[in-house]
Amino acid sequence: MASVDEHLSTVLGLVGNTPVERIPVADCLGLAIAEDLRSPIALPPFDNSAMDGYAVRARDIRDAPVELPVTDDIPAGKTELSELAPGTTQRIMTGAPVPPGADAVVQVELTDGGVDRVLINGEVEPGMHIRRAGEDVQVGDIVLHAGAELGPAQLGLAAAVGAGELPVRRRPRVLVLSTGSELVAAGNPLLPGQIYESNGVMLAAAIRATGALAEVLSFVPDDVDAFHAALADRLDSADLIVTSGGVSAGAYEVVKDAFTGNGVEFRKVAMQPGMPQGAGNYRGVPVVTLPGNPVSAQVSFEVFLRPALRSAMGHAVIQRPTRSAVITQALHSPPGRRQFRRGRLDHAAGTVDLVGGPGSHLLSALAVANCLVVVPEGVGEVAAGDSVTVVGLDA
């Protein structure tokens, strides 16, 4: 059997980087910036007030309480300023530019709030309550490094330095195909021996959560010709094909039958769940085939496909965060395989509870899990109280 790391390397090598395009900042959430972003301006771009109050010369109020004339109002956004004359003050709002001649701002709470004249009841030191130009960002600073994930704060920073568009890698277009004559679309009645199709919904959602695009193809019965026909007119627009089911050793393994000899290789991977895997190129389009049992399919997505999609989009960090935790129950792991068990991590306590058994059909346990407990290939038994590695699913 191939190791988990070997198969991950294969999948990462298949799914190459998508082209770079420039798109509006508002549309970049969750993507990764493809190039360093340097600021063309300083932040703040000018000295501005950190308080609502009065711009002053600090030496003029050393003997407070002092009453001074108010010679001007400076709201935020004012572009024409008059110089502050000695022995006077100007009323100023938070974020407004500090007038020439002023070296401090007295917060309004230390005054009587006067409009024509103001009584100042406390002293301030030079520089007090002034945000200096460039104290956050200097002109030419790299504010976002290539590969950085664009969350709300990163997008806010990009907008603050005047970037209307950002260079990002195009979202990969993924075709998702579930196979099996036993599958029925949700909302229809089930006949004996049939089950509702869920893998397509689950995998498409997981793909979209990475920032990629997913199109769910109508699942096809266990028929090779129908399988090829379902893909034929979509190959030109696809960056990746993902299938679930039809890759084991049974008599009706349509994915295996259709792709064997057509550029896709199938292998057993030393993991539980998710042993039967496949990867390759079908008519020039990368293909990753996943097992059909729902937990096997989703665990395989987390281990192989999610990192590959994030890598294709240029993310500097492609793996989910891991940490150590104390497991509260004993477990057994098959020798020679890396086991992934569903768990509930208590972040505060640093403990993890197993959720459900190891069975690859136990989807309800996966739905309440917030982590995967990873048992290395060489470990057969884990005792309650042992330290284990967990992969967070909620970050």
Side-chain angles (χ1 to χ4, degrees), residues 70-274:
V70 179
T71 61
D72 204 355
D73 264 354
I74 314 174
K78 187 169 183 176
T79 57
E80 295 185 5
L81 303 177
S82 58
E83 185 168 357
L84 182 69
T88 69
T89 184
Q90 296 180 22
R91 193 167 62 157
I92 191 168
M93 304 301 127
T94 302
V98 176
D103 63 5
V105 172
V106 179
Q107 64 265 45
V108 70
E109 289 82 1
L110 291 181
T111 75
D112 66 357
V115 175
D116 298 317
R117 298 186 66 83
V118 61
L119 178 64
I120 298 174
N121 296 306
E123 299 180 10
V124 291
E125 295 297 321
M128 185 71 72
H129 304 315
I130 294 178
R131 302 164 177 159
R132 294 299 181 187
E135 71 177 45
D136 186 12
V137 173
Q138 296 284 333
V139 174
D141 281 355
I142 297 175
V143 292
L144 293 173
H145 289 271
E149 184 161 340
L150 297 169
Q154 291 75 27
L155 295 178
L157 177 57
V161 300
E165 295 180 332
L166 292 175
V168 296
R169 294 200 174 273
R170 177 175 56 71
R171 298 175 190 268
R173 300 165 300 201
V174 185
L175 299 179
V176 181
L177 181 60
S178 295
T179 64
S181 297
E182 76 280 13
L183 300 178
V184 176
N188 295 306
L190 290 178
L191 298 177
Q194 295 181 328
I195 60 173
Y196 286 120
E197 199 285 322
S198 60
N199 283 1
V201 173
M202 179 172 62
L203 290 172
I207 289 165
R208 291 173 186 135
T210 69
L213 305 175
E215 177 190 359
V216 180
L217 304 186
S218 298
F219 45 85
V220 299
D222 293 322
D223 179 271
V224 170
D225 291 337
F227 183 88
H228 286 299
L231 292 175
D233 62 351
R234 293 177 172 87
L235 295 177
D236 290 343
S237 62
D239 297 305
L240 174 66
I241 297 169
V242 175
T243 69
S244 64
V247 295
S248 295
Y252 300 98
E253 303 297 342
V254 65
V255 173
K256 205 170 191 178
D257 293 342
F259 281 149
T260 297
N262 283 299
V264 179
E265 295 186 1
F266 296 88
R267 67 195 336 182
K268 293 180 179 179
V269 177
M271 63 187 292
Q272 185 194 53

Side-chain angles (χ1 to χ4, degrees), residues 322-326 345 350 387-390:
T322 63
R323 61 166 290 180
S324 296
V326 175
L345 174 66
S387 179
V388 294
T389 297
V390 299

